[in-house]
Amino acid sequence: GEGQVVVDAGGQGAALSASEASFLHFAGVGNPNEDYGFVMKNSGPGRTVVDLREGTTDIEIEGFEVTGPSYSGIAIRTYPYCNPDHARGAFIQKNTRLHHNYIHDVGGEGLYIGPSHYYYDYSPTSTAACAPGYPEPHLSGVEIAYNRVENTGRDGIQVGAAIENTSIHHNVVRNYALLEDYGHIGGIQLNPGTVGQVYANWIESTPGSLSDNAFQIAGGDNEALVLYNNVIV
């Protein structure tokens, strides 16, 4: 039909969620007059608007507008907690593609892709029930391209544990790190384990911001992490 499809979470859970799912393709491209055929919004404080969780793999999202109020816009990551099936060596998040989306006005990260503690022997999500716990799994095959990310409280785009076949390119990130929260102030945050190609991105900070970095780099290990032809304003 005409116009956009609006999914309003009503300040409760996620507008779209999945766990232990695979081969998902969400595309808001059915109407040539709408750049973003789906609008996902209003997951509420502390929640994620599009929340693809433990054990989810082989995912493509395109043509989405994602907005708050919420914590993060799109999060696709597996934390093992106490499930050995989600630990490194048992699970790999494969073929994660996010392109031609518009993410804006969220309190945390715009895009939160992959776990954040790849260098830890055990994930801090583990509990006493499985002490010392399990290491976090890695990602293979990540492309984040042609997205627009604006007005985020923390990092614009965060990618962790992406150890092979990663490309982050042709994204526009503006007005990020609005909370000026130390450690969460990257236009593009490259978290532990992440390697690959990062190029042709436009990163523009908030005028007058006292605390922001275009890039925060904690990745690079088994291969090169190469940044080139990016514009930083």
Side-chain angles (χ1 to χ4, degrees):
E2 296 182 357
Q4 295 174 304
V5 176
V6 178
V7 180
D8 187 333
Q12 303 298 313
L16 172 65
S17 64
S19 62
E20 296 190 324
S22 57
F23 301 104
L24 307 176
H25 184 187
F26 301 107
V29 297
N31 184 342
N33 298 317
E34 295 286 353
D35 291 335
Y36 311 106
F38 283 104
V39 179
M40 302 283 168
K41 68 177 187 177
N42 194 20
S43 65
R47 305 304 294 268
T48 297
V49 184
V50 176
D51 192 7
L52 307 184
R53 301 181 59 86
E54 282 65 50
T56 299
T57 184
D58 294 277
I59 307 139
E60 182 174 3
I61 299 176
E62 59 178 315
F64 271 41
E65 179 180 350
V66 177
T67 187
S70 66
Y71 174 70
S72 58
I74 299 176
I76 309 174
R77 72 278 183 248
T78 288
Y79 283 108
Y81 296 97
C82 277
N83 187 341
D85 293 337
H86 295 161
R88 189 181 312 163
F91 173 77
I92 300 172
Q93 182 178 314
K94 299 178 180 178
N95 303 322
T96 305
R97 295 191 63 216
L98 299 172
H99 60 96
H100 298 93
N101 301 293
Y102 176 33
I103 300 94
H104 62 99
D105 296 287
V106 295
E109 293 85 2
L111 299 179
Y112 190 117
I113 310 304
S116 298
H117 316 95
Y118 187 74
Y119 291 160
Y120 287 29
D121 291 334
Y122 308 104
S123 174
T125 64
S126 302
T127 67
C130 59
Y134 301 106
E136 296 175 350
H138 71 260
L139 285 66
S140 175
V142 175
E143 183 181 25
I144 299 174
Y146 299 99
N147 300 288
R148 183 157 54 112
V149 181
E150 298 177 336
N151 304 326
T152 64
R154 289 184 163 183
D155 309 315
I157 298 173
Q158 174 181 300
V159 180
I163 69 168
E164 57 187 1
N165 301 323
T166 302
S167 62
I168 303 169
H169 62 92
H170 292 94
N171 300 286
V172 175
V173 179
R174 291 193 176 99
N175 293 348
Y176 57 91
L178 296 179
L179 296 178
E180 298 188 351
D181 184 5
Y182 178 78
H184 307 279
I185 56 173
I188 297 179
Q189 167 86 13
L190 302 165
N191 263 351
T194 297
V195 298
Q197 306 284 315
V198 183
Y199 62 94
N201 299 286
W202 180 287
I203 305 174
E204 184 174 343
S205 67
T206 307
S209 175
L210 299 177
S211 178
D212 62 74
N213 295 325
F215 291 102
Q216 289 205 134
I217 301 171
D221 186 9
N222 60 311
E223 295 180 8
L225 176 57
V226 184
L227 288 71
Y228 60 97
N229 290 356
N230 298 285
V231 176
I232 298 171
V233 182

